[in-house]
Every structure is written in C-alpha cells, then in structure tokens.
C-alpha cells in the first residue's frame, strides 16, 4: 500500500496488525498443545481469548475511522511465528520445550507492543482519540501478557536448566546447549 500521509500509514499498519492478530489466533492453539506446564497453558489460553477480542477491537477502530476492516499480510509476525515453531521441533525435554515456547511467545508480544505503541501515538496525533484509547488498551494487554510470561519463565527456566546440570550421564544433547553442561564438568 502506498502511503502519502500519516493517516494512510496508520491505516496500513492497522491492516498489518489485523492480519498479525489472526495469524496469532491460528498459531496459539498449536503452541498450547505442546505446553507441559499448567500455569503456562492457562496463561496462553487466556491470551488466546484476549487476542480474539483484540482482532474485534481493530474492527471497531476501522469502523471509527470510516475504513473497511481489511487485512494486509504481516510478514514480520509470520517470521516470528515460523522461527518459534522451528525452535520447538528441535526440543524433546518438556521443561526446555516450555522455555522455548515462552521465548517465542515473548517475541510475539514485543513485536505487538512496538506496533501498537506506534499506531496508538499516530491515532492520537491525528485526533482519533477514541481509536487511540482502544489501541492503548490492547497495548496494555500485550504488556501484561509479556510480564506474565516473564514471571512464569522464572520458574520454568530454572527447571529447564536444572534438568541439564543434575544429570549424571548426558543421554541426549539434542535441544540443549552444551555450554551449561560443560560448565559443571569443568
Ligand atoms: Fe495481540
Ligand atoms: Zn507486520
Ligand atoms: Fe499478544
């Protein structure tokens, strides 16, 4: 889309986000099906529900601005999701897999936080106050999801690491970084 004004740029970014939210709605159930921790599973289930509301909120924003709710392929989030699913395929250990899922989910949240922060500010600059407030609401939800994941990661990353350093005989190195292990052996 060619954008010659801030308004056109904003509409383009909103269409990108509209697609991004739908990609996330499609990808999250696959991710959740691979989670072992109940706490992580609940957090992602909850965020999936919130994500559906965020997609609807974008429809409300398009309506506010007198624009059609159209999606424009978000290559950024497509790459982030693809990288995450590739990472999971390499991991056998369930704690390590949960750590990988958190890492990839947090990349998604940070991508969204950057994008929603920008469109919130642009909407506000253009006098679209109602839309700016809705975008701020989504931005805050993404931040909350990110913080929740950081909290869960504190426990899970420790367990994922412990599995490695306490093992007497390394059975399999697949999916683990040799650095942690060799530190103990040294
Ligand atoms: Fe979202
Ligand atoms: Zn994008
Ligand atoms: Fe999100």
């Amino acid at each position: 889309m060619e954008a010659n004004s801030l308004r056109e740029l904003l509409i383009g970014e909103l269409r990108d986000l509209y697609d991004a939210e739908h990609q996330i709605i499609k990808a999250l159930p696959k991710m959740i099906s691979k989670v072992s921790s109940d706490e992580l599973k609940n957090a992602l289930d909850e965020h999936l529900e919130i994500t559906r509301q965020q997609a609807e909120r974008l429809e409300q924003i398009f309506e506010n601005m007198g624009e059609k709710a159209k999606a424009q392929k978000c290559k950024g989030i497509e790459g982030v999701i693809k990288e995450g699913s590739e990472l999971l395929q390499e991991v056998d250990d369930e704690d390590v897999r949960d750590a990988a899922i958190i890492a990839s989910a947090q990349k998604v949240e940070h991508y969204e936080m950057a994008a929603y922060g920008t469109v919130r500010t642009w909407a506000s600059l253009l006098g679209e106050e109602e839309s700016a407030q809705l975008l701020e609401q989504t931005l805050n939800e993404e931040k909350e999801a990110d913080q929740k994941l950081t909290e869960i990661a504190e426990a899970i990353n420790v367990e994922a690491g412990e599995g490695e350093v306490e093992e007497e005989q390394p059975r399999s190195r697949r999916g683990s970084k040799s650095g942690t292990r060799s530190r103990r052996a040294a």
Side-chain angles (χ1 to χ4, degrees):
M1 172 181 179
E2 231 182 290
N4 295 307
S5 67
L6 190 60
R7 193 176 194 281
E8 283 172 350
L9 204 58
L10 170 60
I11 301 300
E13 284 299 291
L14 290 172
R15 287 175 176 164
D16 182 287
L17 274 168
Y18 191 49
D19 180 67
E21 297 294 10
H22 283 103
Q23 285 193 50
I24 295 163
I25 290 166
K26 212 178 141 204
L28 263 178
K30 290 180 206 164
M31 246 179 160
I32 291 168
S33 73
K34 293 181 180 150
V35 169
S36 304
S37 150
D38 286 340
E39 201 188 0
L40 179 57
K41 190 185 171 302
N42 290 340
L44 293 177
D45 274 335
E46 195 185 310
H47 196 60
L48 173 58
E49 196 41 51
I50 286 169
T51 303
R52 293 197 179 102
Q53 293 166 19
Q54 292 173 342
E56 283 173 20
R57 197 173 291 142
L58 282 167
E59 289 168 10
Q60 179 62 50
I61 290 164
F62 285 119
E63 204 185 306
N64 286 351
M65 297 186 67
E67 297 284 339
K68 250 197 275 170
K70 242 170 68 179
Q72 178 180 298
K73 175 87 148 198
C74 179
K75 291 180 191 159
I77 213 74
E78 185 182 43
V80 173
I81 289 171
K82 187 156 180 262
E83 220 177 73
S85 77
E86 283 170 5
L87 191 63
L88 296 192
Q89 280 162 18
E90 297 164 13
V91 182
D92 299 325
D93 181 273
E94 55 182 44
D95 291 326
V96 177
R97 197 189 310 117
D98 280 357
I101 289 168
I102 292 174
S104 123
Q106 285 195 289
K107 282 184 191 170
V108 169
E109 296 316 324
H110 279 251
Y111 186 97
E112 293 186 286
M113 281 154 60
Y116 275 107
T118 299
V119 289
R120 182 268 329 260
T121 301
W122 287 349
S124 179
L125 282 171
L126 292 165
E128 298 282 353
E129 272 314 318
E130 201 186 326
S131 296
Q133 273 179 29
L134 291 169
L135 293 166
E136 168 103 5
Q137 195 181 333
T138 297
L139 175 61
N140 288 335
E141 289 168 357
E142 311 295 20
K143 284 182 186 168
E144 272 169 37
D146 178 59
Q147 276 162 15
K148 179 83 195 165
L149 287 167
T150 296
E151 279 167 33
I152 297 172
E154 277 168 20
I156 285 176
N157 287 347
V158 167
E159 278 167 41
E162 268 171 2
E164 278 172 39
V165 289
E166 280 170 12
E167 238 170 51
E168 285 288 313
Q169 277 194 322
R171 284 177 316 220
S172 159
R173 288 186 172 235
R174 275 177 64 203
S176 66
K177 297 239 167 15
S178 54
T180 323
R181 216 188 289 279
S182 59
R183 189 146 62 99
R184 193 182 195 227

